[in-house]
Amino acid sequence: MKYSSLCICLFLLVTTLSAQKGTYREVEVRRNNKDKEWVTYPAKTIDRLPGFKKGKEPAVSAYGGWKAWQKEATGFFRTEKVDGRWWIIDPQGYPFIHKAVVAVNPGKSPKQREVFTEKYGSRENWIKEETALLKKYGFNGAGAWTDTEVLKLMDQPLVYTVIISPMGAYRQQHLKKFGGKYQQAGWQGYRFDLAMVFDDEFDQFVKEAIAPIVRYKEDPYLLGYFTDNELPWHNDALDRHLNYLAKDEQGYIAAKKWLDERKGFDASPADVTEEDRMAFIGFYFDTYMRKVTTALREADPTHLYLGC
């Protein structure tokens, strides 16, 4: 069998540990879709782990939580530490593991639409059949980039997540400040490959970008929210702020103030150490998380924030 490395990581634990021939499945993997070389690896699947015995599947709640034990039912997904281990607790109080497929969506190309119409006839029929199929194979959820509006047409839908992109959308507004053009780096086109978390304009923009999630506020089948995707958190972000941004830009001002306070004197880029870079990364990322989390909690205080 041949799979891309991304597909492999979704359902196989690839290992280079030695194993007797025939004990584990063998799969061929390539590093990306441009690489022509396929390399064979032994792949451990759960059913072939030494000593594995399939137990009886526990009864599940309406949300897919295991009815093995029960804690307080709050009507929404939440987290709780039970016997030293953190669990997601479903709205009925049962322990829950989200087994989800990302991007549950009908295709958009002309050919996909043609086949979709022939096979399903309507979006309602499509989501009914796909929900039943996914549950049959043990899934209980849908990941980011899912068509949540059609998913919610089901009486008992898959537990779903929503992704919103406040920084991704703000990137375009930040671009306007520079006449629509600027030096870009990185595949997502951020200026100097920096997420502009220190911009005052982002403070207001993030609230406006997140506010529409209020429509999900009362839905118990919503697990929680993701924000943005693959933002550029580079180890040399401090250097980039200090060397690439103009001295009157908010990003430069914030980075310079942080460095001066850390050093205790009027510091320059030449004074930056590796320890400074790592510490700044924490400050930089925390600034993003704090602003996004605050906006999320204002719009919807009941659901989980699943991270960036």
Side-chain angles (χ1 to χ4, degrees):
M1 295 183 292
K2 290 187 177 182
Y3 300 94
S4 72
S5 56
L6 178 59
C7 292
I8 289 288
C9 74
L10 293 176
F11 65 97
L12 292 175
L13 175 61
V14 178
T15 177
T16 56
L17 297 176
S18 59
Q20 292 181 354
K21 187 175 181 179
T23 302
Y24 303 122
R25 294 180 175 88
E26 291 187 342
V27 296
E28 291 183 325
V29 183
R30 57 180 181 171
R31 288 174 296 181
N32 55 57
N33 61 358
K34 296 180 180 179
D35 194 343
K36 296 182 179 180
E37 181 182 2
W38 292 81
V39 181
T40 300
Y41 290 95
K44 284 185 177 180
T45 51
I46 292 176
D47 61 318
R48 297 195 179 191
L49 290 176
F52 171 79
K53 294 181 180 179
K54 185 176 181 179
K56 183 180 179 181
E57 291 289 332
V60 296
S61 72
Y63 304 93
W66 293 336
K67 289 187 174 181
W69 44 265
Q70 189 176 22
K71 295 295 180 180
E72 179 185 3
T74 64
F76 296 98
F77 284 94
R78 61 185 181 84
T79 57
E80 183 177 342
K81 198 171 188 178
V82 180
D83 296 330
R85 173 176 291 178
W86 281 101
W87 286 91
I88 296 175
I89 306 297
D90 79 7
Q92 294 179 326
Y94 296 109
F96 177 84
I97 292 179
H98 198 221
K99 296 176 287 184
V101 174
V102 172
V104 179
N105 268 305
K108 296 181 180 180
S109 73
K111 184 61 177 179
Q112 287 173 325
R113 289 176 179 176
E114 177 186 338
V115 174
F116 179 90
T117 301
E118 293 176 357
K119 184 173 182 179
Y120 300 106
S122 69
R123 290 160 64 83
E124 290 78 10
N125 289 338
W126 168 74
I127 196 59
K128 181 178 179 180
E129 289 190 31
E130 294 308 304
T131 297
L133 178 68
L134 289 171
K135 288 185 176 181
K136 174 184 176 181
Y137 284 108
F139 293 100
N140 58 22
W145 299 287
T146 286
D147 188 338
T148 58
E149 299 309 312
V150 68
L151 188 75
K152 293 195 297 179
L153 295 176
M154 301 291 295
D155 292 332
Q156 192 171 312
L158 296 163
V159 174
Y160 67 97
T161 64
V162 170
I163 183 166
I164 46 181
S165 301
M167 181 58 71
Y170 174 70
R171 178 184 54 196
Q172 299 304 317
Q173 181 168 318
H174 180 83
L175 174 61
K176 293 178 183 178
K177 293 169 62 176
F178 298 86
K181 296 180 180 180
Y182 57 58
Q183 182 177 344
Q184 296 183 1
W187 73 274
Q188 288 191 329
Y190 286 94
R191 182 168 169 252
F192 301 120
D193 226 9
L194 293 173
M196 298 298 179
V197 302
F198 301 114
D199 285 12
D200 292 340
E201 295 91 340
F202 180 63
D203 295 3
Q204 182 58 36
F205 189 90
V206 68
K207 294 180 181 180
E208 296 173 357
I210 288 177
I213 69 171
V214 70
R215 70 180 185 273
Y216 300 108
K217 187 175 179 179
E218 303 300 328
D219 192 345
Y221 283 93
L222 171 64
L223 176 64
Y225 304 99
F226 294 104
T227 62
D228 291 297
N229 179 54
E230 299 185 10
L231 290 177
W233 306 114
H234 292 287
N235 288 351
D236 66 344
L238 177 56
D239 306 79
R240 291 170 184 251
H241 279 84
L242 296 175
N243 292 318
Y244 298 157
L245 304 185
K247 289 182 170 53
D248 61 349
E249 289 189 49
Q250 294 151 355
Y252 174 88
I253 294 170
K256 181 66 164 64
K257 181 175 182 290
W258 178 89
L259 182 62
D260 289 350
E261 290 179 352
R262 178 175 171 85
K263 293 293 191 181
F265 58 85
D266 184 11
S268 72
D271 297 312
V272 174
T273 66
E274 195 62 24
E275 289 75 18
D276 295 331
R277 293 184 179 97
M278 295 302 99
F280 182 79
I281 282 289
F283 171 67
Y284 179 39
F285 184 65
D286 182 70
T287 301
Y288 168 85
M289 294 295 288
R290 175 170 44 79
K291 292 182 176 183
V292 168
T293 302
T294 298
L296 281 168
R297 289 290 166 260
E298 289 179 359
D300 183 352
T302 56
H303 289 100
L304 297 172
Y305 175 33
L306 304 173
C308 169

